[in-house]
Amino acid sequence: MSASPRLDAGPGAGTGPAPESAPPRREHPDGALALGAGPPLPPPHPLVHESVAEVVRTAPERTAVRGADRAITYAELDAWAERIATRLTGLGAGPGHRVGVLAEPSAAMVAAVLGVVRSGAAYVPVDPASPDRRIAEVLQDAGAVAAVTAGALGNRAHGAVPAIVRADGADAPGAGSAPRRPKKGGRGDPPRTAAAAQDPAYLVYTSGSTGEPKGVEVDHGRLAASTAARRTVYPGAPVFLLVSPLAFDSSAAGIWGTLTAGGTLVAASADEVRDPESLVGLIRRHRVTRTLCVPSLYHLLLDAAERVGPQALRTLRTVVTAGEPLPATLVARHFALLGRSAELVNEYGPTEATVWASYHRFAGPGPVSIGRPIPGARLYVLDEELRPVAPGADGELFIGGAGVADGYRGRPRETARAFLPDPFAPGPDARMYRTGDLARWNPDGTLAFLGRRDQQVKIRGHRVEPGEVEARLAAVEGVREAVALPAPSGDALIAYAVAPAGPSPRELRSLLREQLPTAMVPSRVRVLESLPRTPNGKVDRARLRERAAEEGEPGAPPGTGRGPSRGAGPAELVAQAWSEVLGAPPPATDVNFFDAGGNSFTIIRLQGALARLTGTRPSAVDLFQHTTVEAQAALVGGSASEDGQEERERRSAARRERARRAREWRRERGARA
């Protein structure tokens, strides 16, 4: 790739002015509780790439990353990242610039991120599952000067950035040339300016209520503080199973928390994340000790462990859940299956607070909370006048301290509304972030999470503003009005549109799939003549929620449906399975499962329904590749024939035997403990 002239540094995050009337500084007599403060983090905090460089110096042959195609040492990762950084520097990237990263989870993805940070630029993770239009919107809004890509994804960034750097080129480890770190400062090497604590480290995009994504910019100092807090709460060098996509901010916790500690990252591929049994296999094969995932995925992981035997998870020492409210039933399941050898930790924190702000470590089954502040963080529960509420009273949760991000790039008004001067902090320039979450201090000093003040929701761990979906629908010609709501299941959206002469529901959903990330695409769209109204003329969202419940629950748990119809053929059984998990009559046999409202979680439920109805449990990867009733009927055809009942009985007996062995295993572990 040819070099281009050096580029001038672009504008910063656009944090904008402070609100017109900053809240007065206040003290509170019960500040230790009403104004919760985590333990201090003594400075300095090395920047994350500096900490990784220290691991390279002291343990170069230690395994840094295991991906589907290779395992690389810290020395190989260091050399690989240096080559990427050198190419980016040659393009003029440096502090104040932003570089997109478009790669599936892999060693190449980790090398790309480290290379961008080492160049001095900030990385902008882009979700490969997003449509091309969304990818272009993110890269253009970020003002990315280049993109680092891997695999077959390079073409998807063309036109959105001035230059493309391939992370998996001929000089990648194992590609035919010995890994070699270029000499720094040699002839022909471009000068490189190291990033400082106040320079941006990464830019993560979230859903925006106006219809456009908004980027949260986090600088190196805040990332270093968040990572130092993580290593304090979770000491040691883990073998960490990374299941979060790079565009999901918890990936920063896994990547930097592991690499700065000298641990090993096990990067699960997209196909492996779709198949919980594959994840269980990764944990067993690589002796994983720690992982972080949304509670809904952990439910599926425990389901898979029950099928194959809980011994497969015996190396786990810490399971962290975050991104969604943690159900008490999942806490109970964790300890019932794994005992007390693997701790369960519930984390809370928005992207604007650099991934996390509080955590609760469970010693056993019990009440769920989001715990106490992490080191370096301050948590406030305030009323509408920004005054601390009494312990036990409800209020809005505000976050202060070392992790509060710089703001929303290029959006000064939104930044000023959400990032306020902190009247409770000792320093004059401190800020706090208004989360929009409702909370309450419990008697034991932990925080109870009570939900949202606004309409923002979490869909499979992704923060979603229904307003963005509504804005996209309303922009379609022929649509007069639109409303998006969480489905009764909570793992998808549903949408209602007034479009008397406009596109059909299927066409509207198809248009949204071309514009929005998967988690934001409604599982179903209904076209109405009008929307219900309250007496004051506003859209009656409560009535629409009731209507959604009356229409049926998309994604009902498997096992609640009836048994297989006697004499039914494979296509009829697959259609019955679709009807169960989608909560609607199945469409034509050539319709795509995802066009009919399916998603990555309902595909796992479809596995269970097919296993129960046909005696065959296709892999999640096969179901992602065979997405119509016809294609899936061919997958299960052999076992859905006349001897399907015999096969189902054999599998049922095998499940009972595995459950018996699991109970014995737990009893033995309890006796040893």
Side-chain angles (χ1 to χ4, degrees), residues 188-258:
D189 283 350
R192 184 179 302 167
T193 303
Q198 67 272 18
D199 289 321
Y202 67 83
L203 183 64
V204 168
Y205 276 79
T206 67
S207 175
S209 58
T210 62
E212 300 295 333
K214 59 185 179 183
V216 181
E217 198 155 72
V218 176
D219 68 28
H220 275 281
R222 291 173 173 86
L223 177 57
S226 176
T227 303
R230 186 163 296 278
R231 289 177 58 189
T232 300
V233 173
Y234 306 108
V239 179
F240 187 96
L241 178 62
L242 181 67
V243 298
S244 301
L246 190 62
F248 200 39
D249 67 343
S250 61
S251 64
I255 291 172
W256 302 118
T258 301

Side-chain angles (χ1 to χ4, degrees), residues 353-366:
T354 314
V355 185
W356 68 327
S358 72
Y359 71 102
H360 180 78
R361 182 175 268 124
F362 291 89

Side-chain angles (χ1 to χ4, degrees), residues 455-479:
Q455 296 178 29
Q456 186 186 101
V457 295
K458 283 288 186 78
I459 302 295
R460 305 193 295 279
H462 296 266
R463 197 168 79 184
V464 171
E465 291 277 6
E468 180 172 0
V469 180
E470 294 169 0
R472 300 278 180 159
L473 276 173
V476 176
E477 185 176 355
V479 176

Side-chain angles (χ1 to χ4, degrees), residues 43-60:
H45 316 306
L47 305 189
V48 290
H49 58 288
E50 295 171 350
S51 295
V52 176
E54 179 61 19
V55 178
V56 174
R57 187 186 68 80
T58 58

Side-chain angles (χ1 to χ4, degrees), residues 280-532:
V280 171
L282 287 177
I283 293 171
R284 177 179 53 207
R285 188 160 61 252
H286 299 302
R287 303 187 63 80
V288 168
T289 61
R290 190 182 303 167
T291 192
L292 186 160
C293 62
V294 294
S296 46
L297 178 57
Y298 190 44
H299 259 304
L300 298 175
L301 190 66
L302 292 182
D303 287 344
E306 287 180 335
R307 289 192 294 271
V308 304
Q311 299 92 329
L313 304 182
R314 68 182 183 276
T315 60
L316 279 176
R317 293 294 172 264
T318 303
V319 175
V320 182
T321 59
E324 296 171 348
L326 175 64
T329 52
L330 184 55
V331 179
R333 280 195 75 193
H334 168 89
F335 288 103
L337 192 65
L338 302 183
R340 297 176 188 268
S341 62
E343 66 177 0
L344 181 66
V345 184
N346 187 32
E347 289 186 4
Y348 164 85
T351 303
E352 290 86 347
T354 314
V355 185
W356 68 327
S358 72
Y359 71 102
H360 180 78
R361 182 175 268 124
F362 291 89
V368 174
S369 83
I370 57 173
R372 294 178 170 84
I374 66 170
R378 296 188 300 274
L379 302 180
Y380 316 137
V381 181
L382 308 179
D383 63 17
E384 292 183 356
E385 301 298 324
L386 302 185
R387 298 172 301 193
V389 302
D394 299 353
E396 184 174 359
L397 183 57
F398 288 71
I399 301 172
V404 177
D406 296 330
Y408 303 116
R409 171 173 164 74
R411 287 170 169 76
R413 291 184 181 276
E414 292 185 43
T415 296
R417 284 196 296 266
F419 295 84
L420 309 178
D422 186 344
F424 311 105
D429 299 324
R431 294 178 309 151
M432 60 183 183
Y433 171 66
R434 175 174 232 148
T435 67
D437 291 332
L438 298 175
R440 175 196 310 127
W441 288 109
N442 295 320
D444 63 354
T446 61
L447 274 168
F449 175 80
L450 305 176
R452 293 287 303 173
R453 288 190 57 170
D454 55 21
Q455 296 178 29
Q456 186 186 101
V457 295
K458 283 288 186 78
I459 302 295
R460 305 193 295 279
H462 296 266
R463 197 168 79 184
V464 171
E465 291 277 6
E468 180 172 0
V469 180
E470 294 169 0
R472 300 278 180 159
L473 276 173
V476 176
E477 185 176 355
V479 176
R480 294 180 182 174
E481 197 173 11
V483 172
L485 301 166
S489 62
D491 64 4
L493 290 177
I494 54 176
Y496 294 94
V498 177
S504 69
R506 184 171 297 176
E507 289 170 332
L508 288 173
R509 192 169 182 276
S510 178
L511 287 170
L512 291 179
R513 289 187 67 193
E514 295 173 1
Q515 301 177 41
L516 297 173
T518 305
M520 296 180 65
V521 178
S523 63
R524 64 189 184 204
V525 177
R526 296 286 186 264
V527 173
L528 307 178
E529 292 184 2
S530 63
L531 296 176

